[in-house]
């Protein structure tokens, strides 16, 4: 078994769930015929997910649902010195997750027809996000 690894930066995005499949692919080396791509976001206030790649309403609804479930300015938050959006961002990152794995088949990501890679940005001004991509083959 072999592996390659690269680190890249996704451009800064506003708070929300963003389809980043094409941007991720632009940073990857040529993919093997068979393997696994593992992506890891190096931040505690953002996440990676796989979900609907066609209807942008899914991204809006997912973000709205996370905001409703984990609202800002809760009186029981003690970690508040980085802003009202920070502690909910940490919670959302833990719930959604910092990594995903995608099978590689015939030199391409073996995603379903309606699947795409999301960067879930949970801060109002999160900035560029650093991602580690490991290809196992």
């Amino acid at each position: 078994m072999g592996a390659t690894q690269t680190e890249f930066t996704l451009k800064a995005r506003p708070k929300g769930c963003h389809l980043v499949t094409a941007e991720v692919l632009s940073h990857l080396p040529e993919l093997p015929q068979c393997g696994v791509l593992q992506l890891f976001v190096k931040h505690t206030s953002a996440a990676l997910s796989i979900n609907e790649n066609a209807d942008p309403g899914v991204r809006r609804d997912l973000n709205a649902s996370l905001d409703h479930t984990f609202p800002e300015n809760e009186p029981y938050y003690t970690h508040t010195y980085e802003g009202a959006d920070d502690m909910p961002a940490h919670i959302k990152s833990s719930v959604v997750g910092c990594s995903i794995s995608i099978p590689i088949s015939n030199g391409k990501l073996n995603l379903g027809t309606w699947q795409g890679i999301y960067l879930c940005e949970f801060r109002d001004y999160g900035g560029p996000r650093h991602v580690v991509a490991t290809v196992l083959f």
Side-chain angles (χ1 to χ4, degrees), residues 78-95:
T78 59
H79 176 75
T80 58
Y81 60 89
E82 291 183 55
D85 66 335
D86 190 45
M87 191 59 227
H90 293 314
I91 297 167
K92 293 171 191 176
S93 177
S94 288
V95 169

Side-chain angles (χ1 to χ4, degrees), residues 6-135:
T6 187
E7 189 167 334
F8 58 89
T9 302
L10 295 172
K11 68 180 183 178
R13 289 175 166 78
K15 183 178 178 185
C17 298
H18 305 278
L19 188 61
V20 296
T21 309
E23 187 177 356
V24 168
L25 285 170
S26 75
H27 291 285
L28 298 180
E30 183 176 343
L31 297 175
Q33 285 298 300
C34 182
V36 176
L37 171 65
Q38 197 271 340
L39 297 172
F40 175 82
V41 64
K42 296 173 65 172
H43 300 274
T44 61
S45 55
L48 295 171
S49 182
I50 297 175
N51 216 308
E52 167 78 44
N53 68 1
D55 182 1
V58 172
R59 295 187 291 277
R60 287 190 300 272
D61 291 348
L62 180 56
N63 189 60
S65 295
L66 288 166
D67 284 347
H68 176 77
T69 304
F70 306 107
E72 295 181 4
N73 297 309
E74 289 296 331
Y76 50 83
Y77 292 156
T78 59
H79 176 75
T80 58
Y81 60 89
E82 291 183 55
D85 66 335
D86 190 45
M87 191 59 227
H90 293 314
I91 297 167
K92 293 171 191 176
S93 177
S94 288
V95 169
V96 176
C98 60
S99 67
I100 56 175
S101 295
I102 304 167
I104 299 168
S105 301
N106 300 314
K108 298 181 187 234
L109 297 183
N110 195 347
L111 291 165
T113 301
W114 306 110
Q115 290 181 317
I117 301 169
Y118 281 19
L119 171 68
C120 302
E121 177 56 68
F122 300 130
R123 296 296 308 266
D124 292 330
Y125 306 101
R129 297 305 193 170
H130 304 285
V131 176
V132 177
T134 305
V135 177

